[in-house]
Amino acid sequence: MPTKNTSIHGEWSSRLAFILAAAGSAVGLGNIWKFPYMAGENGGGAFVLIYLACIAVFGLPIMMAEVMLGRRGRQSPINTMKTLSQQESAHKAWGLLGWSGVLAGVLILSYYSVIAGWSLSYVIESVSGSLKGISGTQAGELFESLIASPLTLIFWHTVFMVMTMIVVARGVIGGLEVAVRYLMPSLLILILVLIAYSVSQGHFMLGVEFMFTPDFSKINQDVLLSAMGQAFFSLSLGMGAIMIYGSYLSQQASIAKTSFAVALMDTSVAILAGLAIFPIVFANHLDTGQGAALIFNTLPLAFGQMPGGVIFGTLFFVLLVFAAWTSSISLIEPAVAWLVERRGLTRIKASIICGFVTWLVGLGTVFSFNIWETYTMFDKTVFDLLDYLTTNIMLPLGGLLIAVFVGWSMRESSVRDEMAMSNPVLYQAWRLLIRFVTPVGVLLIFLNVIGII
Ligand code: PFF
Protein backbone atom coordinates (compact mmCIF):
# COMPACT_ATOMS: atom_id res chain seq x y z
CA MET A 1 0.00 0.00 0.00
CA PRO A 2 1.27 3.50 -0.72
CA THR A 3 1.76 5.76 2.26
CA LYS A 4 -0.92 8.32 1.46
CA ASN A 5 -2.93 9.19 -1.57
CA THR A 6 -2.02 12.85 -1.69
CA SER A 7 0.58 15.24 -0.27
CA ILE A 8 -0.41 17.93 2.25
CA HIS A 9 1.15 20.41 -0.17
CA GLY A 10 -1.34 19.53 -2.94
CA GLU A 11 -1.44 17.61 -6.21
CA TRP A 12 -0.90 18.44 -9.91
CA SER A 13 -4.13 18.90 -11.82
CA SER A 14 -3.06 16.41 -14.49
CA ARG A 15 -0.21 14.31 -15.78
CA LEU A 16 0.60 17.07 -18.22
CA ALA A 17 0.95 19.50 -15.33
CA PHE A 18 3.58 17.25 -13.79
CA ILE A 19 5.41 16.84 -17.09
CA LEU A 20 5.45 20.61 -17.51
CA ALA A 21 6.67 21.25 -13.98
CA ALA A 22 9.34 18.57 -14.16
CA ALA A 23 10.43 19.83 -17.56
CA GLY A 24 10.46 23.32 -16.06
CA SER A 25 12.81 22.04 -13.39
CA ALA A 26 15.02 20.17 -15.82
CA VAL A 27 15.28 22.76 -18.60
CA GLY A 28 17.19 25.72 -17.30
CA LEU A 29 20.61 27.31 -17.23
CA GLY A 30 22.00 23.79 -17.26
CA ASN A 31 20.87 23.30 -20.85
CA ILE A 32 21.52 26.69 -22.37
CA TRP A 33 24.38 28.12 -20.33
CA LYS A 34 26.18 25.11 -18.90
CA PHE A 35 25.87 22.33 -21.46
CA PRO A 36 27.50 24.32 -24.29
CA TYR A 37 30.40 25.49 -22.16
CA MET A 38 30.99 22.08 -20.63
CA ALA A 39 30.98 20.55 -24.11
CA GLY A 40 33.30 23.33 -25.26
CA GLU A 41 35.73 22.80 -22.40
CA ASN A 42 35.73 19.03 -22.63
CA GLY A 43 36.45 18.42 -26.26
CA GLY A 44 33.02 18.60 -27.90
CA GLY A 45 31.89 15.32 -29.45
CA ALA A 46 33.48 13.01 -26.90
CA PHE A 47 31.75 14.85 -24.07
CA VAL A 48 28.40 14.94 -25.88
CA LEU A 49 28.52 11.22 -26.56
CA ILE A 50 29.27 10.33 -22.95
CA TYR A 51 26.65 12.80 -21.78
CA LEU A 52 24.00 11.14 -23.93
CA ALA A 53 25.03 7.70 -22.68
CA CYS A 54 24.80 8.96 -19.07
CA ILE A 55 21.29 10.29 -19.72
CA ALA A 56 20.19 6.89 -21.03
CA VAL A 57 21.94 4.63 -18.55
CA PHE A 58 21.84 6.72 -15.37
CA GLY A 59 19.45 9.59 -15.97
CA LEU A 60 16.28 7.97 -17.17
CA PRO A 61 16.28 5.01 -14.73
CA ILE A 62 17.07 7.27 -11.78
CA MET A 63 14.44 9.77 -12.80
CA MET A 64 11.83 6.99 -12.76
CA ALA A 65 13.09 5.81 -9.38
CA GLU A 66 13.03 9.30 -7.92
CA VAL A 67 9.51 10.07 -9.12
CA MET A 68 8.40 6.70 -7.75
CA LEU A 69 9.90 7.39 -4.32
CA GLY A 70 8.25 10.78 -4.19
CA ARG A 71 4.86 9.48 -5.13
CA ARG A 72 5.06 6.69 -2.60
CA GLY A 73 6.29 8.91 0.23
CA ARG A 74 4.12 11.94 -0.55
CA GLN A 75 6.21 14.30 1.58
CA SER A 76 9.39 16.37 1.40
CA PRO A 77 12.41 14.22 0.46
CA ILE A 78 13.63 14.16 4.07
CA ASN A 79 10.34 12.80 5.41
CA THR A 80 9.73 10.63 2.37
CA MET A 81 13.04 8.84 2.90
CA LYS A 82 12.36 8.53 6.61
CA THR A 83 8.88 7.10 6.14
CA LEU A 84 9.85 4.76 3.33
CA SER A 85 12.86 3.39 5.17
CA GLN A 86 10.59 2.58 8.14
CA GLN A 87 7.93 1.04 5.91
CA GLU A 88 10.44 -1.04 4.04
CA SER A 89 12.28 -1.99 7.26
CA ALA A 90 15.44 -0.45 5.86
CA HIS A 91 18.15 1.26 7.89
CA LYS A 92 17.30 4.62 9.48
CA ALA A 93 20.36 6.18 7.90
CA TRP A 94 18.53 6.35 4.55
CA GLY A 95 16.89 9.46 5.97
CA LEU A 96 20.23 11.21 5.45
CA LEU A 97 19.69 11.03 1.72
CA GLY A 98 16.88 13.56 2.06
CA TRP A 99 19.16 15.84 4.06
CA SER A 100 21.99 15.78 1.58
CA GLY A 101 19.45 16.63 -1.11
CA VAL A 102 18.22 19.68 0.76
CA LEU A 103 21.80 20.82 1.27
CA ALA A 104 22.64 20.28 -2.41
CA GLY A 105 19.56 22.28 -3.41
CA VAL A 106 20.56 25.26 -1.28
CA LEU A 107 24.16 25.16 -2.49
CA ILE A 108 23.19 24.88 -6.16
CA LEU A 109 20.61 27.64 -5.93
CA SER A 110 23.14 29.91 -4.23
CA TYR A 111 25.24 30.10 -7.40
CA TYR A 112 22.45 29.37 -9.87
CA SER A 113 20.80 32.58 -8.77
CA VAL A 114 23.94 34.61 -9.45
CA ILE A 115 24.13 33.28 -13.01
CA ALA A 116 20.40 33.87 -13.48
CA GLY A 117 21.22 37.41 -12.34
CA TRP A 118 23.67 37.75 -15.24
CA SER A 119 20.84 36.78 -17.57
CA LEU A 120 18.59 39.40 -15.99
CA SER A 121 21.19 42.05 -16.57
CA TYR A 122 21.45 40.97 -20.24
CA VAL A 123 17.72 41.53 -20.63
CA ILE A 124 18.38 45.16 -19.85
CA GLU A 125 21.48 45.34 -22.08
CA SER A 126 19.48 43.90 -24.94
CA VAL A 127 16.33 45.97 -24.58
CA SER A 128 18.37 49.16 -24.28
CA GLY A 129 20.00 48.41 -27.64
CA SER A 130 23.55 48.19 -26.33
CA LEU A 131 24.15 44.87 -28.05
CA LYS A 132 23.49 46.36 -31.50
CA GLY A 133 26.46 45.80 -33.78
CA ILE A 134 28.63 44.79 -30.84
CA SER A 135 32.08 43.35 -31.67
CA GLY A 136 33.67 40.31 -30.07
CA THR A 137 35.99 42.48 -28.00
CA GLN A 138 33.17 44.73 -26.86
CA ALA A 139 31.04 41.74 -25.89
CA GLY A 140 33.93 40.42 -23.82
CA GLU A 141 34.39 43.80 -22.13
CA LEU A 142 30.69 44.09 -21.38
CA PHE A 143 30.70 40.74 -19.63
CA GLU A 144 33.94 41.47 -17.77
CA SER A 145 32.61 44.75 -16.48
CA LEU A 146 29.43 43.04 -15.25
CA ILE A 147 31.20 40.38 -13.22
CA ALA A 148 33.79 42.83 -11.93
CA SER A 149 31.14 44.72 -9.99
CA PRO A 150 30.08 43.01 -6.74
CA LEU A 151 27.26 45.48 -6.20
CA THR A 152 25.70 44.92 -9.60
CA LEU A 153 25.93 41.16 -9.15
CA ILE A 154 24.41 41.36 -5.67
CA PHE A 155 21.60 43.50 -7.01
CA TRP A 156 20.60 40.98 -9.70
CA HIS A 157 21.18 38.01 -7.42
CA THR A 158 18.80 39.62 -4.94
CA VAL A 159 16.16 40.33 -7.59
CA PHE A 160 16.28 36.74 -8.76
CA MET A 161 16.13 35.25 -5.25
CA VAL A 162 13.11 37.42 -4.44
CA MET A 163 11.39 36.32 -7.65
CA THR A 164 12.00 32.68 -6.75
CA MET A 165 10.90 32.91 -3.16
CA ILE A 166 7.67 34.73 -4.06
CA VAL A 167 6.56 31.79 -6.18
CA VAL A 168 7.67 29.23 -3.62
CA ALA A 169 5.91 31.10 -0.82
CA ARG A 170 2.65 31.03 -2.77
CA GLY A 171 2.92 27.31 -3.45
CA VAL A 172 4.44 25.88 -6.57
CA ILE A 173 1.50 23.92 -7.87
CA GLY A 174 -0.72 26.61 -9.38
CA GLY A 175 1.69 29.00 -11.02
CA LEU A 176 4.20 26.65 -12.58
CA GLU A 177 1.78 24.89 -14.85
CA VAL A 178 0.70 28.04 -16.63
CA ALA A 179 4.20 29.48 -16.80
CA VAL A 180 5.80 26.39 -18.28
CA ARG A 181 3.00 25.67 -20.76
CA TYR A 182 3.92 28.85 -22.68
CA LEU A 183 7.56 29.05 -21.75
CA MET A 184 8.77 25.79 -23.26
CA PRO A 185 7.42 26.29 -26.78
CA SER A 186 8.54 29.94 -26.84
CA LEU A 187 12.04 29.05 -25.69
CA LEU A 188 12.23 26.38 -28.35
CA ILE A 189 11.17 28.82 -31.05
CA LEU A 190 13.85 31.30 -30.05
CA ILE A 191 16.54 28.63 -30.04
CA LEU A 192 15.39 27.73 -33.54
CA VAL A 193 15.69 31.39 -34.55
CA LEU A 194 19.27 31.32 -33.29
CA ILE A 195 19.96 28.12 -35.18
CA ALA A 196 18.56 29.71 -38.34
CA TYR A 197 20.94 32.62 -37.80
CA SER A 198 23.82 30.21 -37.25
CA VAL A 199 23.00 28.43 -40.49
CA SER A 200 22.89 31.75 -42.33
CA GLN A 201 26.39 32.57 -41.08
CA GLY A 202 27.80 29.65 -43.02
CA HIS A 203 29.66 27.96 -40.16
CA PHE A 204 26.87 25.66 -39.10
CA MET A 205 28.62 22.46 -40.15
CA LEU A 206 31.68 23.34 -38.08
CA GLY A 207 29.42 23.46 -35.04
CA VAL A 208 27.79 20.16 -35.94
CA GLU A 209 31.17 18.56 -36.46
CA PHE A 210 32.47 19.87 -33.18
CA MET A 211 29.50 18.45 -31.29
CA PHE A 212 29.10 15.13 -33.03
CA THR A 213 32.54 13.95 -34.06
CA PRO A 214 33.91 12.34 -30.95
CA ASP A 215 37.66 12.48 -30.57
CA PHE A 216 38.17 9.55 -28.21
CA SER A 217 41.66 10.66 -27.32
CA LYS A 218 40.03 13.54 -25.45
CA ILE A 219 38.23 11.23 -23.01
CA ASN A 220 39.81 11.22 -19.60
CA GLN A 221 38.65 11.06 -15.97
CA ASP A 222 37.59 14.68 -15.90
CA VAL A 223 35.52 14.38 -19.05
CA LEU A 224 33.80 11.27 -17.70
CA LEU A 225 33.00 12.87 -14.37
CA SER A 226 31.86 16.15 -15.90
CA ALA A 227 29.59 14.44 -18.41
CA MET A 228 28.05 12.30 -15.69
CA GLY A 229 27.60 15.29 -13.38
CA GLN A 230 26.09 17.34 -16.17
CA ALA A 231 23.56 14.58 -16.91
CA PHE A 232 22.40 14.62 -13.28
CA PHE A 233 22.41 18.40 -13.11
CA SER A 234 20.49 18.85 -16.31
CA LEU A 235 17.79 16.34 -15.39
CA SER A 236 17.56 17.76 -11.84
CA LEU A 237 18.38 14.35 -10.36
CA GLY A 238 19.94 13.14 -7.16
CA MET A 239 18.75 15.80 -4.73
CA GLY A 240 15.01 15.38 -4.32
CA ALA A 241 13.73 18.06 -6.71
CA ILE A 242 12.14 15.48 -8.99
CA MET A 243 11.21 13.44 -5.92
CA ILE A 244 9.16 16.26 -4.44
CA TYR A 245 7.49 16.95 -7.77
CA GLY A 246 6.70 13.23 -7.92
CA SER A 247 5.07 13.53 -4.52
CA TYR A 248 2.47 15.82 -6.08
CA LEU A 249 1.78 13.33 -8.90
CA SER A 250 -1.56 11.55 -9.03
CA GLN A 251 -1.71 7.83 -8.47
CA GLN A 252 -2.89 7.09 -12.01
CA ALA A 253 -0.11 8.73 -14.00
CA SER A 254 2.47 6.50 -15.71
CA ILE A 255 5.89 7.15 -14.21
CA ALA A 256 7.82 5.62 -17.09
CA LYS A 257 6.12 7.61 -19.84
CA THR A 258 6.28 10.90 -17.96
CA SER A 259 9.95 10.48 -17.13
CA PHE A 260 10.76 9.62 -20.72
CA ALA A 261 8.98 12.73 -21.96
CA VAL A 262 10.86 14.96 -19.53
CA ALA A 263 14.27 13.45 -20.32
CA LEU A 264 13.65 13.76 -24.05
CA MET A 265 12.65 17.41 -23.80
CA ASP A 266 15.60 18.27 -21.62
CA THR A 267 18.13 16.56 -23.85
CA SER A 268 16.70 18.11 -27.00
CA VAL A 269 16.95 21.62 -25.60
CA ALA A 270 20.59 21.09 -24.61
CA ILE A 271 21.58 19.74 -28.01
CA LEU A 272 19.72 22.51 -29.83
CA ALA A 273 21.39 25.13 -27.65
CA GLY A 274 24.77 23.69 -28.58
CA LEU A 275 23.83 23.74 -32.26
CA ALA A 276 22.87 27.39 -31.95
CA ILE A 277 25.99 28.48 -30.10
CA PHE A 278 29.00 26.67 -31.57
CA PRO A 279 28.58 27.91 -35.15
CA ILE A 280 28.61 31.47 -33.77
CA VAL A 281 31.74 30.65 -31.80
CA PHE A 282 33.51 29.39 -34.95
CA ALA A 283 32.20 32.17 -37.19
CA ASN A 284 33.73 34.73 -34.85
CA HIS A 285 36.94 32.83 -34.11
CA LEU A 286 36.12 32.63 -30.43
CA ASP A 287 37.50 30.11 -27.99
CA THR A 288 35.29 27.04 -27.35
CA GLY A 289 36.89 26.49 -23.95
CA GLN A 290 36.18 29.86 -22.36
CA GLY A 291 33.97 28.42 -19.63
CA ALA A 292 31.09 30.11 -17.86
CA ALA A 293 31.32 33.24 -20.02
CA LEU A 294 30.64 31.35 -23.28
CA ILE A 295 27.03 32.22 -24.02
CA PHE A 296 27.45 35.78 -22.77
CA ASN A 297 30.36 36.32 -25.11
CA THR A 298 28.77 34.69 -28.15
CA LEU A 299 25.02 35.29 -28.19
CA PRO A 300 25.27 39.11 -28.05
CA LEU A 301 27.25 38.91 -31.31
CA ALA A 302 24.42 37.05 -32.98
CA PHE A 303 21.71 39.32 -31.61
CA GLY A 304 23.83 42.37 -32.41
CA GLN A 305 23.99 41.41 -36.09
CA MET A 306 20.68 39.76 -36.95
CA PRO A 307 17.69 41.76 -38.17
CA GLY A 308 15.26 42.30 -35.30
CA GLY A 309 18.10 41.48 -32.90
CA VAL A 310 16.84 43.77 -30.15
CA ILE A 311 13.51 41.98 -30.01
CA PHE A 312 14.91 38.48 -30.39
CA GLY A 313 17.73 39.14 -27.95
CA THR A 314 15.46 40.58 -25.32
CA LEU A 315 12.98 37.76 -25.71
CA PHE A 316 15.75 35.21 -25.51
CA PHE A 317 17.20 36.52 -22.27
CA VAL A 318 13.72 36.92 -20.78
CA LEU A 319 13.01 33.29 -21.59
CA LEU A 320 16.37 32.23 -20.21
CA VAL A 321 15.44 33.95 -16.95
CA PHE A 322 12.10 32.15 -16.97
CA ALA A 323 13.77 28.81 -17.58
CA ALA A 324 16.14 29.50 -14.69
CA TRP A 325 13.22 30.58 -12.54
CA THR A 326 11.23 27.36 -12.98
CA SER A 327 14.38 25.38 -12.15
CA SER A 328 15.32 27.39 -9.09
CA ILE A 329 11.86 26.91 -7.62
CA SER A 330 12.43 23.17 -7.65
CA LEU A 331 15.87 23.57 -6.08
CA ILE A 332 14.47 25.14 -2.94
CA GLU A 333 11.07 23.42 -2.74
CA PRO A 334 12.41 20.37 -0.81
CA ALA A 335 13.82 22.60 1.94
CA VAL A 336 10.69 24.73 2.18
CA ALA A 337 8.32 21.75 2.19
CA TRP A 338 10.37 20.16 4.96
CA LEU A 339 10.24 23.28 7.16
CA VAL A 340 6.47 23.38 6.68
CA GLU A 341 6.03 19.71 7.54
CA ARG A 342 8.48 19.54 10.37
CA ARG A 343 8.27 22.91 12.06
CA GLY A 344 4.72 23.75 11.10
CA LEU A 345 5.90 27.06 9.62
CA THR A 346 3.75 28.83 7.06
CA ARG A 347 5.08 28.60 3.50
CA ILE A 348 5.82 32.31 3.65
CA LYS A 349 8.03 32.07 6.74
CA ALA A 350 9.72 28.92 5.49
CA SER A 351 10.45 30.62 2.17
CA ILE A 352 11.92 33.70 3.81
CA ILE A 353 14.27 31.60 5.92
CA CYS A 354 15.43 29.35 3.08
CA GLY A 355 15.69 32.26 0.69
CA PHE A 356 17.80 34.31 3.05
CA VAL A 357 20.24 31.49 3.81
CA THR A 358 20.63 30.74 0.09
CA TRP A 359 21.09 34.41 -0.75
CA LEU A 360 23.82 34.69 1.88
CA VAL A 361 25.70 31.66 0.59
CA GLY A 362 25.36 33.14 -2.92
CA LEU A 363 27.54 36.09 -1.92
CA GLY A 364 30.47 33.67 -1.97
CA THR A 365 29.87 33.12 -5.68
CA VAL A 366 29.37 36.83 -6.32
CA PHE A 367 32.75 37.63 -4.78
CA SER A 368 34.51 34.75 -6.49
CA PHE A 369 34.25 36.69 -9.75
CA ASN A 370 35.84 39.84 -8.38
CA ILE A 371 37.21 40.59 -4.90
CA TRP A 372 37.85 36.92 -4.05
CA GLU A 373 38.93 35.98 -7.55
CA THR A 374 42.40 35.05 -6.36
CA TYR A 375 41.26 33.01 -3.35
CA THR A 376 41.34 29.43 -4.46
CA MET A 377 41.28 25.97 -2.93
CA PHE A 378 42.46 23.00 -5.01
CA ASP A 379 42.92 25.61 -7.71
CA LYS A 380 39.22 26.45 -7.67
CA THR A 381 37.35 29.63 -6.78
CA VAL A 382 34.31 29.51 -4.47
CA PHE A 383 32.01 29.26 -7.49
CA ASP A 384 34.07 26.49 -9.10
CA LEU A 385 34.23 24.59 -5.82
CA LEU A 386 30.49 24.78 -5.21
CA ASP A 387 29.79 23.75 -8.76
CA TYR A 388 32.23 20.83 -8.62
CA LEU A 389 31.04 19.63 -5.23
CA THR A 390 27.35 19.70 -6.09
CA THR A 391 27.32 18.71 -9.78
CA ASN A 392 30.13 16.19 -9.86
CA ILE A 393 29.85 14.70 -6.38
CA MET A 394 26.61 15.33 -4.49
CA LEU A 395 24.15 14.75 -7.32
CA PRO A 396 25.70 11.55 -8.73
CA LEU A 397 26.18 10.24 -5.18
CA GLY A 398 22.54 11.03 -4.39
CA GLY A 399 21.52 9.25 -7.59
CA LEU A 400 23.66 6.25 -6.75
CA LEU A 401 22.08 5.96 -3.31
CA ILE A 402 18.58 6.33 -4.75
CA ALA A 403 19.35 3.45 -7.13
CA VAL A 404 20.64 1.30 -4.28
CA PHE A 405 17.65 2.09 -2.07
CA VAL A 406 15.11 1.35 -4.79
CA GLY A 407 16.98 -1.63 -6.22
CA TRP A 408 18.13 -3.32 -3.03
CA SER A 409 16.47 -1.95 0.10
CA MET A 410 12.86 -1.65 -0.95
CA ARG A 411 10.69 -4.72 -1.27
CA GLU A 412 10.21 -5.71 -4.88
CA SER A 413 6.46 -5.82 -4.36
CA SER A 414 6.37 -2.17 -3.23
CA VAL A 415 8.46 -1.05 -6.17
CA ARG A 416 6.41 -3.01 -8.68
CA ASP A 417 3.18 -1.76 -7.15
CA GLU A 418 4.18 1.89 -7.28
CA MET A 419 5.78 1.77 -10.74
CA ALA A 420 2.65 0.04 -12.08
CA MET A 421 4.32 -0.55 -15.46
CA SER A 422 2.05 -2.39 -17.85
CA ASN A 423 4.89 -3.79 -19.95
CA PRO A 424 6.71 -6.52 -17.97
CA VAL A 425 9.72 -6.52 -20.28
CA LEU A 426 10.29 -2.80 -19.83
CA TYR A 427 9.84 -3.16 -16.10
CA GLN A 428 12.47 -5.90 -15.94
CA ALA A 429 14.82 -3.84 -18.09
CA TRP A 430 14.44 -0.86 -15.78
CA ARG A 431 14.93 -3.06 -12.74
CA LEU A 432 18.10 -4.49 -14.18
CA LEU A 433 19.41 -1.01 -14.84
CA ILE A 434 18.53 0.39 -11.43
CA ARG A 435 19.92 -2.59 -9.51
CA PHE A 436 23.12 -3.24 -11.41
CA VAL A 437 24.04 -1.10 -14.36
CA THR A 438 23.30 2.35 -12.93
CA PRO A 439 24.89 2.00 -9.48
CA VAL A 440 27.90 0.09 -10.78
CA GLY A 441 28.40 2.61 -13.58
CA VAL A 442 28.32 5.63 -11.27
CA LEU A 443 30.59 3.86 -8.80
CA LEU A 444 33.12 2.97 -11.49
CA ILE A 445 33.33 6.59 -12.61
CA PHE A 446 33.87 7.71 -9.02
CA LEU A 447 36.54 5.07 -8.41
CA ASN A 448 38.20 6.03 -11.63
CA VAL A 449 38.37 9.66 -10.59
CA ILE A 450 39.90 8.96 -7.22
CA GLY A 451 42.42 6.77 -8.95
CA ILE A 452 41.44 3.39 -7.52
CA ILE A 453 40.75 1.90 -10.95
N1 PFF B 1 18.15 21.09 -14.15
C1 PFF B 1 18.40 22.48 -13.93
C2 PFF B 1 19.10 23.04 -15.14
O1 PFF B 1 19.47 22.29 -16.05
O2 PFF B 1 19.29 24.25 -15.20
C3 PFF B 1 19.19 22.73 -12.67
C4 PFF B 1 18.74 21.93 -11.50
C5 PFF B 1 17.45 22.07 -11.02
C6 PFF B 1 19.60 21.01 -10.92
C7 PFF B 1 17.00 21.28 -9.97
C8 PFF B 1 19.18 20.22 -9.87
C9 PFF B 1 17.88 20.36 -9.41
F1 PFF B 1 17.49 19.61 -8.46
Side-chain angles (χ1 to χ4, degrees):
M1 279 296 287
T3 317
K4 294 183 195 105
N5 278 329
T6 49
S7 157
I8 61 162
H9 309 286
E11 187 172 303
W12 306 113
S13 62
S14 63
R15 188 170 82 102
L16 181 67
F18 168 78
I19 296 187
L20 288 171
S25 166
V27 176
L29 294 173
N31 306 63
I32 297 165
W33 161 72
K34 201 166 184 197
F35 173 77
Y37 91 70
M38 296 295 287
E41 270 182 344
N42 290 292
F47 175 89
V48 175
L49 189 72
I50 300 173
Y51 170 76
L52 293 176
C54 288
I55 296 274
V57 180
F58 306 150
L60 190 57
I62 292 181
M63 182 176 280
M64 290 163 63
E66 224 185 296
V67 175
M68 185 273 283
L69 289 177
R71 186 164 76 177
R72 202 164 178 82
R74 294 275 186 220
Q75 299 158 80
S76 66
I78 293 181
N79 286 333
T80 284
M81 287 312 298
K82 231 198 225 152
T83 312
L84 291 183
S85 52
Q86 273 163 11
Q87 251 177 31
E88 301 292 327
S89 325
H91 198 282
K92 263 203 341 244
W94 282 110
L96 289 177
L97 189 53
W99 280 104
S100 81
V102 165
L103 180 66
V106 168
L107 293 180
I108 295 177
L109 183 55
S110 79
Y111 66 81
Y112 202 85
S113 164
V114 176
I115 314 292
W118 297 354
S119 318
L120 271 170
S121 117
Y122 272 76
V123 172
I124 306 294
E125 296 295 348
S126 180
V127 77
S128 67
S130 53
L131 304 183
K132 257 197 215 150
I134 199 167
S135 70
T137 326
Q138 287 166 330
E141 282 165 5
L142 183 68
F143 181 72
E144 285 304 320
S145 75
L146 168 69
I147 62 170
S149 160
L151 281 184
T152 315
L153 294 189
I154 291 176
F155 173 75
W156 291 117
H157 167 50
T158 312
V159 173
F160 188 78
M161 278 308 300
V162 170
M163 282 167 55
T164 301
M165 298 329 291
I166 287 177
V167 179
V168 178
R170 297 177 54 180
V172 302
I173 293 194
L176 265 183
E177 186 173 346
V178 190
V180 184
R181 191 183 292 255
Y182 298 103
L183 162 80
M184 280 300 153
S186 325
L187 187 64
L188 208 63
I189 293 173
L190 273 195
I191 296 179
L192 293 177
V193 168
L194 272 173
I195 292 185
Y197 170 81
S198 290
V199 172
S200 79
Q201 287 304 289
H203 290 75
F204 188 66
M205 285 324 282
L206 277 181
V208 173
E209 228 168 84
F210 180 71
M211 280 182 65
F212 297 111
T213 324
D215 172 354
F216 291 104
S217 69
K218 295 235 166 86
I219 299 181
N220 57 27
Q221 295 164 339
D222 291 340
V223 175
L224 273 177
L225 185 68
S226 308
M228 172 171 78
Q230 175 63 16
F232 279 91
F233 185 88
S234 193
L235 291 177
S236 305
L237 295 179
M239 59 139 283
I242 289 296
M243 195 186 292
I244 194 143
Y245 279 9
S247 76
Y248 308 149
L249 183 63
S250 85
Q251 208 58 45
Q252 292 76 34
S254 152
I255 291 178
K257 281 189 208 143
T258 28
S259 304
F260 185 76
V262 174
L264 187 68
M265 262 190 265
D266 186 69
T267 310
S268 316
V269 175
I271 297 287
L272 289 174
L275 285 177
I277 286 159
F278 285 113
I280 307 175
V281 172
F282 292 118
N284 292 282
H285 311 289
L286 299 173
D287 173 16
T288 52
Q290 56 183 295
L294 183 67
I295 67 162
F296 297 96
N297 282 342
T298 45
L299 294 184
L301 297 179
F303 293 127
Q305 289 159 16
M306 69 172 73
V310 172
I311 298 176
F312 286 134
T314 309
L315 259 177
F316 176 85
F317 285 112
V318 167
L319 287 170
L320 185 60
V321 169
F322 262 100
W325 199 3
T326 52
S327 300
S328 59
I329 290 164
S330 72
L331 281 162
I332 201 72
E333 175 68 9
V336 170
W338 179 76
L339 276 180
V340 172
E341 283 165 13
R342 177 62 210 260
R343 305 259 158 221
L345 295 186
T346 60
R347 280 194 78 92
I348 298 185
K349 269 203 196 125
S351 304
I352 293 175
I353 297 173
C354 296
F356 181 70
V357 172
T358 312
W359 178 84
L360 210 60
V361 181
L363 296 184
T365 292
V366 164
F367 298 142
S368 75
F369 292 106
N370 35 69
I371 51 179
W372 290 355
E373 201 182 2
T374 49
Y375 292 134
T376 54
M377 227 163 98
F378 309 114
D379 218 20
K380 290 185 182 340
T381 63
V382 176
F383 162 66
D384 293 334
L385 264 182
L386 281 175
D387 180 30
Y388 190 91
L389 176 73
T390 51
T391 309
N392 290 357
I393 300 174
M394 293 178 87
L395 298 185
L397 191 62
L400 168 69
L401 293 175
I402 286 170
V404 173
F405 182 74
V406 170
W408 298 93
S409 281
M410 279 181 83
R411 292 185 197 95
E412 224 254 283
S413 55
S414 317
V415 176
R416 189 190 287 268
D417 170 50
E418 195 64 49
M419 291 302 289
M421 283 170 78
S422 48
N423 184 331
V425 179
L426 279 185
Y427 172 74
Q428 285 307 333
W430 170 75
R431 192 155 170 80
L432 194 78
L433 283 167
I434 209 75
R435 296 191 83 190
F436 300 101
V437 184
T438 307
V440 171
V442 175
L443 198 67
L444 285 180
I445 295 184
F446 273 146
L447 293 179
N448 181 254
V449 170
I450 43 184
I452 295 187
I453 54 165

